[in-house]
Amino acid sequence: MRPAPPAFTPGSVTALTVPAGSAYNPPGPALRAVFATQAAGIPLLPRDLPPDLVAHIPQCWAQLQAAQQPVTEGHVAAWLKKLAHLVTNPPGPAAAAAQCRAIFDVCEDIPAGAWGKPARLAWVRQPPRQGYPVGARWPSPNELRTILLPFANTIWRDAAACQKLMTRLHISSASQQSS
């Protein structure tokens, strides 16, 4: 059995922090355009890209490698602790560990880079469904997975595109490995 995760209710004494920079920030428009061009099947040659953009590709790859790291139960607990301040019905101390474990069990395949402030804001900014303010309430594990999945898909898509681009342009990196 896994140990119980730290409580994440607002008054909790447990201080958890999400590692700085763990949320994935997609690359700038120029590199995203290159990824889209590549995805459209348009061949790219090294001479087609400005040198400063090519120089940025290994840095983008390193950020993607960090974003693709598996999420930990502690990371999920820290993320949920921050979400608890944004919703009207966070679980109390007695239910917090069970809620965290349930969410972790359903969402453990979502990479760590998807668990950032943009995902929390995506939850709370959902439009009401049939007059019910979904984002103002605590999420069920599957509802949260639905919100996190687009963030994870962006990471996975960008990682595949970046790796393909590095291979095509013969850019080597000690950290370039298949994910």
Side-chain angles (χ1 to χ4, degrees):
M1 275 186 99
R2 287 183 259 182
F8 53 84
T9 53
S12 174
V13 295
T14 305
L16 285 175
T17 57
V18 177
S22 63
Y24 175 62
N25 292 316
L31 193 51
R32 292 194 66 80
V34 171
F35 290 168
T37 300
Q38 186 175 250
I42 299 170
L44 290 170
L45 300 172
R47 69 173 186 239
D48 296 332
L49 303 174
D52 60 330
L53 185 65
V54 173
H56 182 69
I57 295 170
Q59 178 187 2
C60 178
W61 177 250
Q63 291 171 347
L64 282 159
Q65 289 299 96
Q68 290 185 92
Q69 294 302 308
V71 72
T72 64
E73 209 164 341
H75 190 132
V76 172
W79 192 90
L80 291 171
K81 182 176 180 177
K82 291 178 181 179
L83 180 65
H85 295 286
L86 303 174
V87 298
T88 59
N89 67 333
Q99 286 286 320
C100 181
R101 174 136 332 131
I103 288 171
F104 178 74
D105 287 345
V106 171
C107 302
E108 67 183 315
D109 63 323
I110 303 292
W115 296 81
K117 183 178 179 179
R120 270 192 307 280
L121 292 177
W123 173 260
V124 299
R125 291 178 177 168
Q126 292 180 81
R129 283 187 238 144
Q130 299 176 351
Y132 182 75
V134 178
R137 309 291 288 166
W138 191 255
S140 74
N142 195 48
E143 287 175 321
L144 188 55
R145 180 177 175 72
T146 301
I147 291 293
L148 290 167
L149 205 51
F151 294 94
N153 287 337
T154 297
I155 293 168
W156 294 325
R157 183 189 63 237
D158 287 357
C162 191
Q163 187 173 28
K164 183 177 177 182
L165 186 60
M166 289 178 73
T167 301
R168 178 177 295 273
L169 298 177
H170 307 290
I171 298 171
S172 64
S173 173
S175 63
Q176 184 181 7
Q177 301 169 353
S178 293
S179 298

